[in-house]
Structure formats: structure tokens, C-alpha cells
């Protein structure tokens, strides 16, 4: 597909069953262009112990400039996404919550810029559709949004190699 920019991303978030609160977002496209930000607006006291151990403990120092308001994250992520013309494809592993966390940067779904897809393609589902080929091991710190986004790109590339010339529904 020419003219398509595939962006592989991951979010870390707090989830209480009613609200998904963004902690961090990391993204990388096929050309290696990266984005990473941590929200200054989540309450770490709301995190369950697992999130404290596996997510919050890996965040950079609060003095790091990646810590930003949700408004600034939204504006900077929009610049990142709209840096090139053409169609955008968003990809994530278990994408549903990631898409909600991303979309909520703009408020409700109606406020999402038209250029941003209304859904994120799910790598985990694609993996099932391809009969679960072997995927690369995660490198670096798991549950770090940028590290996981890079791992999503590696997974996608491996699945593309596995797919070879086979027709996959949703591809051109």
C-alpha cells in the first residue's frame, strides 16, 4: 500500500473499570520516527500495585521533558501523526484500550481529528489470523510505552515476512 503511514503505538494507563487514565504513550512508524510522552495529569495513588511495580517504576524522572500536560501530549502527538501526507494506519497489541486512551486526548470520539482513524488495527488479532507464527522476544523494559511500541513494529514486520505472498484480509 503506497501512501500509507503505519504507526505502531502503545499506551500505559490506569483503569478502574470506569475510566482509562493515560500514563504514557509511545509510538514509532516504519521509518523509525518516534514519539514518547508521559502525562503529568494522572494520579499515581490511583494505580494498582501491579501498575506501580511494572509501569510507574519505569517512568523517567519527573524532571524529564517527556512529562507533559495532556493538552501538550495531544498537540505534539497530532504534529507527529500529521508529519506526512497520506492515509494513517494505527496498530497496537490488544488495541482496544490503547485506542480509547489515544482518542480521549481529544475528548470524545467526535472530537478526534478526521485524519486519525476511528479504530486501531489489532496486531494480536492479526497474529491469530496468521496461525500464530513465532514472534520476536520483547527487548528492553516491558510495559514501557515506547519500548512496547517498537516491539509492536517488530511483531508486524515478522508477521509480514511470515505472510509472504498470502492474501490477508485487510491488505491491498
Amino acid at each position: 500500500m503506497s501512501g500509507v503511514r503505519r504507526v505502531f503505538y502503545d499506551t500505559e494507563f490506569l483503569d478502574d473499570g470506569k475510566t482509562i487514565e493515560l500514563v504514557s504513550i509511545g509510538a514509532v512508524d516504519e521509518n523509525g520516527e518516534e514519539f514518547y510522552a508521559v502525562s503529568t495529569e494522572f494520579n499515581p495513588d490511583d494505580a494498582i500495585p501491579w501498575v506501580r511495580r511494572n509501569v510507574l517504576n519505569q517512568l523517567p524522572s519527573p524532571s524529564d521533558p517527556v512529562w507533559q500536560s495532556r493538552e501538550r501530549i495531544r498537540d505534539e502527538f497530532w504534529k507527529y501523526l500529521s508529519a506526512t501526507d497520506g492515509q494513517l494506519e494505527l496498530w497496537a497489541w490488544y488495541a482496544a484500550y490503547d485506542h480509547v486512551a489515544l482518542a480521549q486526548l481529544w475528548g470524545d470520539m467526535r472530537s478526534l481529528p478526521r485524519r486519525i482513524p476511528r479504530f486501531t488495527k489489532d496486531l494480536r488479532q492479526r497474529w491469530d489470523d496468521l496461525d500464530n507464527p513465532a514472534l520476536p522476544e520483547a527487548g528492553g523494559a516491558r510495559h514501557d510505552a515506547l519500548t512496547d511500541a517498537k516491539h509492536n513494529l517488530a511483531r508486524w514486520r515478522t508477521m509480514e515476512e511470515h505472510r509472504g505472498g498470502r492474501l490477508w484480509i485487510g491488505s491491498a
Side-chain angles (χ1 to χ4, degrees):
M1 263 185 181
S2 63
V4 174
R5 181 177 182 209
R6 290 179 187 88
V7 174
F8 300 86
Y9 76 103
D10 183 64
T11 62
E12 300 300 337
F13 51 84
L14 306 181
D15 171 24
D16 65 5
K18 296 177 186 168
T19 305
I20 297 172
E21 186 67 34
L22 181 70
V23 171
S24 61
I25 184 169
V28 63
D29 68 13
E30 292 175 277
N31 296 321
E33 296 295 321
E34 298 177 2
F35 177 87
Y36 179 68
V38 179
S39 174
T40 57
E41 297 181 35
F42 72 92
N43 183 351
D45 294 335
D46 292 341
I48 62 172
W50 186 93
V51 171
R52 284 191 194 111
R53 276 190 318 275
N54 294 289
V55 176
L56 302 186
N57 284 343
Q58 297 186 74
L59 295 175
S61 164
S63 64
D64 192 304
V66 299
W67 285 79
Q68 303 169 12
S69 69
R70 288 173 53 85
E71 181 179 6
R72 182 160 177 223
I73 292 171
R74 180 198 65 217
D75 294 347
E76 294 298 317
F77 195 57
W78 173 243
K79 286 181 194 173
Y80 170 79
L81 290 176
S82 58
T84 58
D85 292 332
Q87 178 185 344
L88 279 174
E89 282 185 6
L90 301 175
W91 288 88
W93 188 262
Y94 290 112
Y97 277 81
D98 292 305
H99 191 81
V100 171
L102 178 151
Q104 286 181 344
L105 287 169
W106 281 268
D108 63 18
M109 285 289 275
R110 294 170 298 182
S111 301
L112 198 61
R114 295 301 316 158
R115 185 151 188 268
I116 297 176
R118 296 306 187 253
F119 66 96
T120 295
K121 294 185 176 200
D122 196 306
L123 287 161
R124 176 59 174 84
Q125 187 175 21
R126 186 173 198 187
W127 183 65
D128 276 348
D129 291 343
L130 293 172
D131 298 325
N132 313 108
L135 294 175
E137 293 292 321
R142 295 197 62 208
H143 308 295
D144 169 84
L146 184 56
T147 299
D148 289 348
K150 291 175 183 179
H151 187 220
N152 286 341
L153 173 57
R155 287 170 169 158
W156 183 82
R157 285 181 171 153
T158 299
M159 285 187 263
E160 281 297 290
E161 289 171 11
H162 173 79
R163 184 175 68 92
R166 292 186 351 193
L167 177 63
W168 180 74
I169 297 171
S171 67

